[in-house]
Amino acid sequence: MTLAAAHPGFMSPSGVEIAFALVGIATLGAALITVTTRQLVHAALWLVVALGGLAIEYLLLTAEFIAWVQVLIYVGSVVVLLLFGLMLTKAPIGRSPDADSGNGWVALTVAVAAAATLVWVVVDAFRSTWIDLGGAAQGSTKVTGAVLFRHWVLPFEALSVLLLAALVGAIVLSRRGAPARRAASAALGALSGRGASSGPGAMSERAAGSERAAVSKRKTGES
Amino acid sequence: MHLAYPAVLAVLLFCVGLYGVLARRNAILVLMSVELMLNAVNLNLVAFDVWLRDTLHAGQALTLFTITIAAAEIGIGLAIVLLVYRNRGTSDVDKLTDLADTGTLPDAGSASIAPTTDNPADTAAEQALRAREQTA
């Protein structure tokens, strides 16, 4: 964007760049602890640090609204949801020996190779590009709101439908005794009843059951 | 600001998340690593939006959309993990190998397809349902 002669040198970082780098190191360290710690609850709490650091990076990039949305949704709700998930799956409180699977070296190799390749490509591609942070803020709430409700209304509405679908899906999945499972268990019960009906006792039991049902139906009809 | 700062940070965060997805065994820790990868993409979107000075601010709008979709994903993902935990008694992704190609004969593999209900509360609930269905 700016001319090559006008840009500042790479060896003399500005204050914003130093702040970005420091917060970036903290974010990266928190992310590393998140994926390597053996204590599951600590992983969720270090994830808070990583996501909060990213919110600060958004603020340094003058994307104010995104930063607050990040704090609200990620730090506020996603991490709480993850902690609830850890609690409901009875995660061990202390060190858990089976947090990592056996293919840690393969994963490390793949990750380091991908990081090396991508860092090389990115640094090579954007060696002489500079973000101009001066002037009006790019992502103030006013600008973001105007753009979102002027140009992005239709995707916004589609996204609300997606959220509704996700809400309904999560409720259906996590409800105890969902209709499908009730039907499955009913079919299972019918199968086991037929299997047990070879004896005379089961037959009479079923007849008694139907008798009882008829009696109760009569009772409800009378009342 | 040099564009390499946010771009390199996003790359490194993505690769940390990639390591987590591949190396973790607990399903919820895998979901955390997926969140890290999505956040790396968000950082890229915001940085390039600020760099390009886009009049539509497509990067920021897409970042908001990604955050929303990530929230929906974590909700559905946790519901699935809880369902698996309720049915199998574990949230260990290495043990969910019903669809794995073990290289054995099909009749030998069919033994692992049968649902194993390790959770005693679940079987109790099913027995109660069955009893209610029989008496009704």
Side-chain angles (χ1 to χ4, degrees):
Chain A
M1 286 290 117
T2 47
L3 292 175
H7 68 66
F10 190 65
M11 284 296 119
S12 62
S14 64
V16 179
E17 284 175 340
I18 294 173
F20 193 96
L22 288 179
V23 178
I25 289 170
T27 306
L28 202 64
L32 273 174
I33 297 174
T34 301
V35 298
T36 52
T37 181
R38 289 188 171 277
Q39 311 194 19
L40 304 184
V41 180
H42 285 199
L45 296 180
W46 280 106
L47 189 67
V48 172
V49 178
L51 298 177
L54 267 174
I56 298 175
E57 306 283 40
Y58 293 151
L59 277 181
L60 289 175
L61 284 169
T62 71
E64 172 199 347
F65 184 68
I66 306 281
W68 299 129
V69 166
Q70 168 93 4
V71 171
L72 275 177
I73 293 187
Y74 272 111
V75 182
S77 72
V78 166
V79 173
V80 173
L81 214 57
L82 284 169
L83 282 173
F84 265 101
L86 283 177
M87 194 179 71
L88 290 174
T89 55
K90 297 187 180 61
I93 293 296
R95 295 168 159 275
S96 77
D98 56 349
D100 290 328
S101 63
N103 53 7
W105 287 109
V106 181
L108 192 66
T109 310
V110 169
V112 167
T117 312
L118 283 172
V119 165
W120 176 57
V121 167
V122 161
V123 169
D124 196 41
F126 303 115
R127 189 180 293 146
S128 59
T129 47
W130 303 84
I131 301 174
D132 185 13
L133 289 175
Q138 293 281 301
S140 66
T141 309
K142 188 180 174 188
V143 174
T144 308
V147 165
L148 202 62
F149 287 105
R150 189 172 295 159
H151 303 289
W152 297 91
V153 174
L154 200 61
F156 191 80
E157 296 296 329
L159 206 65
S160 59
V161 175
L162 176 98
L163 265 185
L164 180 68
L167 187 74
V168 174
I171 290 174
V172 167
L173 277 180
S174 59
R175 217 176 52 170
R176 199 171 269 278
R181 290 185 56 217
R182 197 174 301 157
S185 63
L188 209 68
L191 270 181
S192 64
R194 194 173 302 154
S197 72
S198 54
M203 206 63 197
S204 65
E205 199 178 283
R206 187 180 293 173
S210 62
E211 187 108 36
R212 227 174 298 147
V215 165
S216 68
K217 211 178 286 175
R218 231 174 294 143
K219 266 186 195 160
T220 52
E222 280 170 8
S223 66
Chain B
M1 188 192 293
H2 202 291
L3 185 58
Y5 284 95
V8 168
L9 179 60
V11 163
L12 292 178
L13 270 181
F14 185 86
C15 291
V16 168
L18 183 67
Y19 169 78
V21 167
L22 291 177
R24 286 300 203 178
R25 190 182 258 174
N26 192 314
I28 295 178
L29 292 175
V30 172
L31 282 176
M32 285 184 204
S33 307
V34 170
E35 291 301 312
L36 278 177
M37 293 165 84
L38 285 168
N39 271 284
V41 175
N42 284 347
L43 182 62
N44 251 342
L45 281 171
V46 170
F48 279 86
D49 180 82
V50 175
W51 172 49
L52 291 171
R53 294 191 162 272
D54 188 8
T55 52
L56 281 182
H57 284 297
Q60 292 187 14
L62 284 175
T63 305
L64 287 176
F65 293 170
T66 313
I67 289 175
T68 317
I69 290 173
E73 172 254 334
I74 204 85
I76 294 284
L78 277 177
I80 292 174
V81 169
L82 286 184
L83 201 62
V84 166
Y85 180 78
R86 205 184 291 156
N87 282 331
R88 305 293 175 99
T90 180
S91 57
D92 188 344
V93 290
D94 281 358
K95 287 184 185 159
L96 305 175
T97 54
D98 280 359
L99 294 179
D101 184 12
T102 52
T104 54
L105 289 173
D107 55 351
S110 67
S112 68
I113 292 176
T116 56
T117 50
D118 297 339
N119 206 342
D122 188 57
T123 54
E126 275 189 2
Q127 282 171 359
L129 270 174
R130 215 174 301 150
R132 204 193 309 157
E133 188 263 343
Q134 281 186 350
T135 54

